Amino acid sequence: MDSVTQAILGASVGEAVAGRKIGRAAAVTGAIIGTLPDLDILMTPFFDELQKISIHRGYSHSLIMSFLSAFLLAYLLSKLRWTRLVSYRRLWLLAFLCWFTHILLDAFTTYGTQLLLPFTDWRVSFDSITIVDPLYTLPLMAGVGFSLWKYKPPHAMRSLPNNIGILVSSMYLLITLANKEHIEYVFARQLQSQGIPYYHLLTVPVKVANYEWYGVARDDQFLHMGKYSEWSKNEIEFHSFPINDHLLDDIDPRMADRLKWFAQGFYTVAEKDGAIRVYNMQCDMQGVRQYGDYKAPTAFYYQVDLNKDGTYELSSGMHPREGSRMSERSANHVDYRE
């Protein structure tokens, strides 16, 4: 989720746990802790392109890290003057919940989190909400804001607006899960009516309010991608792309494994003149990019190039929108074929 929403969520949790004891300091503390897991992004310059794939939302977004970090954070908070009214146990609970709710919220987005590290790098991903969604953020903001400015601690009513904000935003998350079930039914029905076979279906929201979705259906050889809007109730036009899994057979096995892991099985591969592009359908879905007779399934891609010494180099790129000025890199590769 975006950093602003994570900070507001942390502030709401901090206010709920300790607001009646230490006032606004609880919300400020929660907001800071609620953004700490995303500091893993600061580590990416120290890793190569392949390693960067699994760094973000890795160990900092694991359940065990949220548990262990709470001990250190609670100890540090207990040394501050303005937390003297709060017990160590409550400080631990504040730190744990602010950290854990961050990673739990991220699990509702399409990229997901490696919640169970170090035991498995399987990504927990509910794919039910976009990274930025005001319908989730605004109730939290209104609730914590009203509690902070309307009531001073230890007023009995101080927690009520904040708790209502948390309840409403949490209900919205549950509604997105229910809506996702409905969307998957719509895609499954239209795939069947159009005679498109598949054995695995991915649906991801692409705009706020959970009303516009992409669906990607996979069979043994193709991905079939379409877009559906809850407003227009449109008939879905599916674009089919060959998976071309064999194109990854000759590259470094570890690189191929990481690229497949990152896409969670929803990817297509294209090749020309020894260079390979891998399009990941699992996240950052931006729709078909069309240039003449070349059609890319989405904007973002990883590119694998063979070096003169026989090693492979991984880089990334982005197709611009149709009609926009193309970058030099995109212009040089616009003639790829599947």
Side-chain angles (χ1 to χ4, degrees):
M1 211 69 177
D2 66 282
S3 297
V4 172
T5 298
Q6 293 289 14
I8 294 172
L9 174 60
S12 298
V13 173
E15 169 63 26
V17 174
R20 290 185 62 186
K21 286 186 174 291
I22 58 176
R24 296 174 184 174
V28 173
T29 302
I32 293 172
I33 296 175
T35 59
L36 290 181
D38 280 343
L39 292 184
D40 60 358
I41 199 70
L42 299 178
M43 300 296 295
T44 55
F46 301 100
F47 297 90
D48 61 33
E49 199 71 26
L50 182 61
Q51 293 169 325
K52 289 178 183 178
I53 291 177
S54 56
I55 292 300
H56 184 47
R57 297 194 183 181
Y59 278 96
S60 70
H61 285 66
S62 65
L63 180 59
I64 194 169
M65 179 61 77
S66 65
F67 181 80
L68 295 177
S69 64
F71 288 99
L72 175 60
L73 291 170
Y75 172 78
L76 295 176
L77 289 172
S78 69
K79 301 302 179 182
L80 299 177
R81 184 175 59 182
W82 44 265
T83 59
R84 65 184 183 275
L85 297 177
V86 185
S87 66
Y88 177 85
R89 180 180 298 180
R90 186 173 290 270
L91 290 175
W92 185 93
L93 182 64
L94 185 153
F96 171 76
L97 289 178
C98 289
W99 197 295
F100 177 71
T101 53
H102 175 119
I103 63 178
L104 182 62
L105 179 58
D106 277 347
F108 279 83
T109 66
T110 55
Y111 183 82
T113 64
Q114 297 173 66
L115 192 65
L116 302 179
L117 282 175
F119 307 106
T120 175
D121 63 0
W122 175 64
R123 293 208 310 276
V124 179
S125 179
F126 301 132
D127 306 322
S128 70
I129 192 171
T130 57
I131 293 177
V132 179
D133 193 334
L135 290 188
Y136 175 81
T137 308
L138 290 177
L140 283 176
M141 183 184 298
V144 70
F146 201 83
S147 285
L148 291 179
W149 301 109
K150 181 65 175 177
Y151 301 107
K152 293 182 179 180
H155 197 288
M157 293 292 291
R158 180 180 174 92
S159 300
L160 182 60
N162 184 62
N163 291 343
I164 291 175
I166 293 175
L167 177 63
V168 172
S169 63
S170 299
M171 289 296 295
Y172 177 67
L173 281 182
L174 294 178
I175 289 172
T176 67
L177 290 176
N179 189 47
K180 181 180 173 67
E181 290 294 317
H182 163 68
I183 293 297
E184 290 190 348
Y185 170 77
V186 171
F187 271 94
R189 184 181 58 188
Q190 294 211 28
L191 284 162
Q192 183 179 20
S193 67
Q194 296 182 38
I196 300 176
Y198 73 98
Y199 65 85
H200 200 181
L201 176 64
L202 169 72
T203 56
V204 295
V206 291
K207 288 189 178 180
V208 300
N210 224 234
Y211 75 92
E212 199 163 289
W213 293 71
Y214 274 105
V216 185
R218 174 177 176 144
D219 60 29
D220 290 331
Q221 299 181 1
F222 291 90
L223 291 184
H224 312 280
M225 185 178 74
K227 190 175 184 180
Y228 178 74
S229 170
E230 282 278 74
W231 297 129
S232 61
K233 308 292 184 183
N234 58 290
E235 181 178 353
I236 302 172
E237 178 185 3
F238 288 97
H239 300 265
S240 298
F241 297 88
I243 297 172
N244 289 326
D245 200 39
H246 65 280
L247 294 175
L248 297 177
D249 291 343
D250 295 330
I251 70 171
D252 178 79
R254 178 173 171 268
M255 183 180 294
D257 176 73
R258 286 290 85 184
L259 290 171
K260 292 179 180 180
W261 168 84
F262 186 54
Q264 294 188 318
F266 289 95
Y267 61 89
T268 65
V269 190
E271 183 272 335
K272 184 177 175 63
D273 298 333
I276 296 172
R277 280 185 179 175
V278 180
Y279 294 93
N280 182 356
M281 305 293 103
Q282 200 274 332
C283 65
D284 198 28
M285 286 286 290
Q286 298 187 35
V288 174
R289 294 291 192 263
Q290 185 85 38
Y291 306 103
D293 61 349
Y294 173 64
K295 183 170 66 172
T298 190
F300 179 79
Y301 60 85
Y302 280 101
Q303 181 160 307
V304 183
D305 293 286
L306 177 63
N307 296 322
K308 293 181 179 180
D309 61 359
T311 61
Y312 287 93
E313 180 180 356
L314 184 67
S315 60
S316 60
M318 181 80 70
H319 287 300
R321 292 188 179 278
E322 187 176 3
S324 63
R325 184 175 180 180
M326 295 183 65
S327 66
E328 181 179 353
R329 180 176 181 83
S330 296
N332 289 338
H333 292 84
V334 74
D335 59 343
Y336 271 60
R337 300 290 185 272
E338 286 81 15

